[in-house]
């Protein structure tokens, strides 16, 4: 398979962080260790692992924010980290991210409309930024858009802020979004709303998604609802398992995957175990 | 007699700029019995932390307690002088693992000094004694005192910080510990370990625990009873199993349904419709009616009273007849 079939490809990517210890010592942290990953158009990839597994580092490599120590990160077959000029511009436009925490990633001094119109103008000076911003708000389910355009982030609920962050990532009409699922501050009841928004977006337009989470159950809902894609289990910077989510949950090959499955809070399993023990 | 009994507690946050008072707790009543783990579950803004801080008498302006009582073994904690409360109850009988305990530590102080500092605040100055006790509680939380005593907070992982915060709460051997979101910001594997630790504290030390969380899916792993809070009001109280198998209140039902499991069909999992209530707006009637699929006309005008159904407390008009 030619690598140009991939929108983004990681080829044997390593990211090592070197830390000085004492005067002469060094400690090397392998955030990513020989990772291979291919992302096509309309792909959905759920990256699951515990904190420190390298999930966010992987996202940053894909986004062009973290140069690999060795290996290649490719956008349409070309090394992301040596793209220049128009090609780099195209990469930036095509690959966007939704950061972890919508409480700190939105500018508190800008209205929702302003947060959206700035990147819209940046990417397309000819378009009517206001109309486009309203269209994006509608896309993420913030209706009527006029109600939200003049609001400041602090006037919105956590779930609404998340949707503004998603809308903002869509301003450049990207082909791939890397979404880092928030682990803190966000109510668990909002997580389903967060992924439903992505499902709806992918239904309407051609979009690939890399969804970073530590929650296997949430990854499963995302993959089943979108009807495609796969899960990637990361541990200590390595991909230990990759494939169909139901297959991996029912038949985990790696010990670590089993640990993740057992640690996942699961009301249904709890009920079942309880019935069996009665 | 319950160990802790909260009666009709009302707390407001006064916002002078806006000339309004935000009602954070509206007539909250609940009982905590000796030796149990009770979970308080609700979305952000539901008043969970305000309730914890009110019990600990740690609310600061602009928060004001507008009425109600917090009885501890029959003594109203809110009526005591601050001196008496600090001397006899705070940390001695009732202690707390505050929210975001990742950030509660003084970055310039070693772990050891946090224990000494806490003890000093309660008039205990014998360092050797304190460190001996600190070693015990750290060991109990599965940390090696010899190693962590001399570490600074930034040298601890998230899970270790949580363990140190829990150890600090146990320092003076309290009867009741209030843990505010002790597993927030932890990944599922570390979360599991902390939940096991919480159960162990309860079982082996006999400590009564109030476990606050926004995530109902972890509640059955620790708590025998659950209190469901919404917009500063109690919606439902009952044994964890009953509440999760057969939620009576529509809000509890929606909360359970919004939780994905490893085997649920994707259609079963639904977000709670609508948006969480805006604390600045006073909702007439039941606070949940704007998001409730069972809402009736009466819900919009009249606050539901408390109904007792098979040992459960439910505040919903559905059970009015």
């Amino acid at each position: 398979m030619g690598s140009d079939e991939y929108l983004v490809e990681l080829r044997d990517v390593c990211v090592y962080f070197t830390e000085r210890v004492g005067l002469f010592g060094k400690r090397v942290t392998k955030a990513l260790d020989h990772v291979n990953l291919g992302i096509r158009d309309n792909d959905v990839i759920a990256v699951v692992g515990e904190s420190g597994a390298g999930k966010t580092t992987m996202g940053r490599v894909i986004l062009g924010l973290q140069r690999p120590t060795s290996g290649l990160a490719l956008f349409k077959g070309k090394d992301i980290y040596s793209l220049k000029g128009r090609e780099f511009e195209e990469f930036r436009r095509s690959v966007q991210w939704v950061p972890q925490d919508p409480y700190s990633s939105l500018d508190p001094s800008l209205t929702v409309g302003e947060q959206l119109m700035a990147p819209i103008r940046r990417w397309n000076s000819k378009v009517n930024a206001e109309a486009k911003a309203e269209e994006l708000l509608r896309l993420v389910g913030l209706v009527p858009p006029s109600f939200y355009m003049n609001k400041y982030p602090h006037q919105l609920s956590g779930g609404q802020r998340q949707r503004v962050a998603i809308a903002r990532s869509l301003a450049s009409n990207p082909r791939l979004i890397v979404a880092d699922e928030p682990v803190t501050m966000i109510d668990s009841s909002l997580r389903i709303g967060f992924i439903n928004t992505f499902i709806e977006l992918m239904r309407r337009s051609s979009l690939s998604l890399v969804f970073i989470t530590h929650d296997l159950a949430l990854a499963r809902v995302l993959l089943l609802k979108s009807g495609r894609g796969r899960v990637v289990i990361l541990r200590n910077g390595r991909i230990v398992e990759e494939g169909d989510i139901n297959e991996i949950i029912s038949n985990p090959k790696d010990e670590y995957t089993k640990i993740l499955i057992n640690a996942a809070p699961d009301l249904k399993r709890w009920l079942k175990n309880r019935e069996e023990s009665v | 007699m319950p160990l802790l009994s909260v009666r009709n507690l009302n707390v407001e946050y006064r916002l002078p700029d806006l000339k309004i008072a935000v009602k954070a707790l509206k007539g909250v009543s609940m009982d905590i019995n000796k030796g149990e783990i009770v979970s308080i579950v609700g979305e952000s803004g539901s008043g969970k932390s305000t309730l914890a801080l009110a019990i600990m008498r740690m609310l600061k302006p602009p928060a004001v307690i507008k009425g109600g009582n917090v009885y501890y073994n029959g003594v109203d904690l809110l009526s005591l002088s601050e001196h008496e409360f600090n001397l006899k109850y705070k940390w001695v009988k009732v202690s707390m693992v505050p929210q975001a305990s990742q950030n509660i530590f003084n970055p310039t102080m070693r772990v050891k000094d946090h224990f000494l500092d806490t003890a000093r605040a309660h008039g205990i100055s014998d360092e050797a004694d304190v460190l001996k006790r600190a070693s015990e509680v750290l060991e109990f939380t599965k940390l090696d005192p010899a190693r962590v005593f001399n570490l600074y907070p930034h040298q601890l992982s998230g899970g270790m910080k949580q363990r140190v915060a829990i150890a600090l709460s146990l320092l003076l051997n309290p009867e009741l510990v209030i843990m505010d979101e002790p597993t927030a910001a932890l990944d599922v594997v570390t979360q599991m370990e902390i939940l096991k630790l919480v159960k162990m504290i309860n079982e082996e030390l006999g400590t009564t625990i109030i476990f606050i969380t926004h995530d109902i899916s972890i509640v059955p792993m620790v708590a025998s009873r659950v209190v469901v809070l919404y917009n500063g009001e109690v919606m439902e109280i009952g044994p964890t199993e009953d509440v999760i198998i057969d939620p009576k209140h529509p809000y509890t039902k929606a909360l359970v349904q919004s939780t994905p499991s490893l085997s649920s069909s994707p259609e079963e999992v639904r977000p709670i419709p609508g948006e969480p209530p805006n604390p600045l707006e006073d909702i007439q009637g039941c606070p949940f009616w704007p998001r409730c699929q069972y809402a009736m006309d009466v819900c919009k005008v009249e606050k539901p009273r408390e109904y007792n159904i098979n040992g459960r407390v439910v505040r919903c008009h559905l059970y009015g007849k």
Side-chain angles (χ1 to χ4, degrees), chain B residues 8-78:
Chain B
N8 202 19
L9 190 62
N10 289 281
V11 175
E12 284 182 8
Y13 287 83
R14 295 224 175 112
L15 305 176
D17 298 352
L18 297 171
K19 294 201 175 72
I20 48 165
V22 176
K23 293 178 180 145
L25 293 179
K26 298 164 212 169
V28 169
S29 296
M30 63 169 193
D31 288 335
I32 309 292
N33 299 312
K34 198 169 166 47
E36 65 176 352
I37 304 182
V38 178
S39 182
I40 298 178
V41 60
E43 295 170 284
S44 34
S46 60
K48 307 181 298 283
S49 297
T50 304
L51 177 55
L53 293 171
I55 296 170
M56 294 297 296
R57 291 190 47 167
M58 279 159 70
L59 281 174
K60 290 198 181 80
V64 197
I65 295 179
K66 288 294 285 182
N69 312 86
V70 176
Y71 296 105
Y72 188 89
N73 270 331
V75 177
D76 187 357
L77 297 181
L78 302 183

Side-chain angles (χ1 to χ4, degrees), chain B residues 218-232:
Chain B
I218 61 173
V219 170
M221 294 161 126
V222 282
S224 54
R225 284 198 310 132
V226 56
V227 176
V228 182
L229 267 191
Y230 184 80
N231 204 34

Side-chain angles (χ1 to χ4, degrees), chain B residues 154-319:
Chain B
H154 76 269
Q155 294 171 303
L156 305 170
S157 71
M160 286 165 83
K161 277 186 206 167
Q162 198 61 57
R163 284 170 198 276
V164 174
I166 291 174
L168 266 173
S169 77
L170 298 174
L171 183 64
L172 305 183
N173 200 18
E175 294 175 313
L176 173 67
V177 179
I178 303 172
M179 300 187 179
D180 194 356
E181 300 269 17
T183 62
L186 300 178
D187 63 83
V188 285
V189 178
T190 318
Q191 167 171 278
M192 188 68 156
E193 290 165 7
I194 296 294
L195 293 177
K196 282 183 183 154
L197 175 62
V198 171
K199 272 208 94 95
M200 199 173 81
I201 291 168
N202 172 255
E203 281 162 10
E204 292 182 21
L205 306 179
T207 315
T208 309
I209 293 169
I210 297 180
F211 185 94
I212 296 176
T213 178
H214 67 265
D215 187 355
I216 197 166
S217 66
I218 61 173
V219 170
M221 294 161 126
V222 282
S224 54
R225 284 198 310 132
V226 56
V227 176
V228 182
L229 267 191
Y230 184 80
N231 204 34
E233 296 180 43
V234 171
M235 299 285 104
E236 182 162 1
I237 302 179
T240 307
E241 293 196 10
D242 299 1
V243 171
I244 285 173
I245 294 168
D246 176 25
K248 293 281 186 221
H249 197 287
Y251 174 62
T252 321
K253 214 172 270 182
L255 208 53
V256 172
Q257 272 175 356
S258 73
T259 310
S261 80
L262 291 177
S263 58
S264 46
S265 77
E267 293 74 35
E268 283 176 75
V269 190
R270 280 186 291 258
I272 304 176
E275 294 297 331
N278 180 347
L280 298 178
E281 284 163 23
D282 221 357
I283 302 169
Q284 280 275 307
C286 168
F288 189 58
W289 78 258
R291 303 170 80 183
C292 180
Q293 54 169 323
Y294 307 99
M296 304 172 287
D297 288 340
V298 61
C299 307
K300 301 171 189 174
V301 286
E302 198 184 306
K303 261 199 201 313
R305 70 170 180 87
E306 221 177 82
Y307 297 100
N308 282 293
I309 310 165
N310 305 329
R312 311 256 291 271
V313 170
V314 185
R315 287 176 74 168
C316 175
H317 285 301
L318 284 177
Y319 303 94

Side-chain angles (χ1 to χ4, degrees), chain B residues 114-134:
Chain B
H114 284 88
F115 284 92
L116 292 171
D117 199 43
T118 304
R120 222 175 289 125
H122 292 274
I124 305 163
S125 51
D126 185 334
E127 283 203 6
D129 251 18
V130 174
L131 291 181
K132 186 164 163 280
R133 173 69 189 152

Side-chain angles (χ1 to χ4, degrees), chain A residues 15-17 29-33 35 52-55 57 234 236-238:
Chain A
V15 174
Y16 296 165
F17 296 113
T29 306
K30 297 182 175 179
L32 287 181
D33 204 13
V35 164
K55 304 189 296 289
T57 304
L234 259 189
N236 291 340
R238 283 175 174 269

